[in-house]
Amino acid sequence: MRFTALIFSAALLVPLSAMADEDSVPPVTDPLTKKECGACHMAYQPAFLPAASWREIMATLDDHFGEDASLDPETRGQIESYLAANAGRGRARRASPPLRITNLKWFTSEHRDHEVTWLWKNRNVKTMADCAACHRGAGRGYFEDD
Ligand code: HEC
Ligand code: HEC
């Protein structure tokens, strides 16, 4: 299934009209985001979450999934603007936007087949948040195969 279709069926995000071609997700182009948000894990492409999610993530960096990922206010503001401007177009529930890509409905349904299990074991993957462990092209926005 194509990413566009997955997003659509998730009913959380509408199709990403900004996508360069339907098999890739626009890569992170902002150097500051790449640097600061790529320090501990891959800098996730903004289209994977709606703007409300990015805002919530950026507002809680001091307790970021158990880590302190705080930034100075100016850097934080710049990154938040970039992420929000390039976010997925969906409307998230205002009260509690999703903070994890790996918890989204399309994600869990796309990641429960034997191929995922096989890769998980064979590449000694520690967390589903480590996209690049299985998708070698993840940083460039490619999530088909490999
Ligand atoms: C100090 C290390 C660190 C930095 C810097 C950092 N993160 Fe994280 N981030 C983590 C950890 C740890 C997790 C949880 C990973 C896991 O569940 O395996 C995480 C998870 C995430 C997730 C959820 C992944 C999922 O499960 O779908 C998002 C989204 C995210 N980070 C965004 C950001 C953004 C945006 C920035 C830059 C402002 C950033 N992170 C900077 C450590 C960091
Ligand atoms: C343990 C391995 C593994 C990890 C970790 C993983 N994936 Fe996947 N992913 C797969 C496999 C296998 C598929 C199915 C590939 C296919 O459809 O050809 C898949 C499918 C996808 C698809 C659908 C591709 C398509 O167009 O059919 C997307 C998008 C995706 N993954 C994104 C991610 C993101 C984002 C992360 C990190 C937050 C991630 N994956 C982490 C193994 C993994």
Side-chain angles (χ1 to χ4, degrees):
M1 210 199 298
R2 297 285 178 255
F3 179 63
T4 337
L6 287 170
I7 290 285
F8 190 61
S9 65
L12 173 64
L13 301 175
V14 294
L16 307 162
S17 50
M19 288 190 356
D21 66 76
E22 70 173 317
D23 294 340
S24 72
V25 183
V28 176
T29 51
D30 176 48
L32 202 54
T33 304
K34 235 187 240 177
K35 175 166 169 265
E36 301 294 349
C37 303
C40 302
H41 48 67
M42 172 184 111
Y44 302 112
Q45 285 83 357
F48 278 125
L49 289 171
S53 298
W54 293 122
R55 292 207 183 89
E56 182 66 18
I57 287 168
M58 296 309 289
T60 55
L61 285 177
D62 59 330
D63 183 11
H64 179 75
F65 302 95
E67 305 253 349
D68 185 353
S70 308
L71 295 167
D72 66 82
E74 202 192 320
T75 308
R76 185 168 59 80
Q78 283 185 38
I79 293 176
E80 182 174 328
S81 303
Y82 170 75
L83 291 172
N86 293 280
R89 304 279 161 75
R91 259 164 284 147
R93 282 159 297 143
R94 286 236 160 163
S96 56
L99 300 184
R100 282 186 181 272
I101 301 157
T102 53
N103 277 352
L104 299 178
K105 219 178 265 164
W106 71 261
F107 187 97
T108 47
S109 61
E110 185 71 9
H111 289 91
R112 60 172 159 234
D113 69 1
H114 62 277
E115 197 186 344
V116 176
T117 315
W118 188 89
L119 285 166
W120 175 273
K121 279 199 210 131
N122 278 270
R123 295 197 185 162
N124 196 22
V125 184
K126 301 278 191 305
T127 164
M128 285 308 289
D130 184 6
C131 318
C134 297
H135 301 283
R136 304 230 191 254
R140 287 175 288 115
Y142 287 92
F143 294 90
E144 288 267 296
D145 304 315
D146 198 38

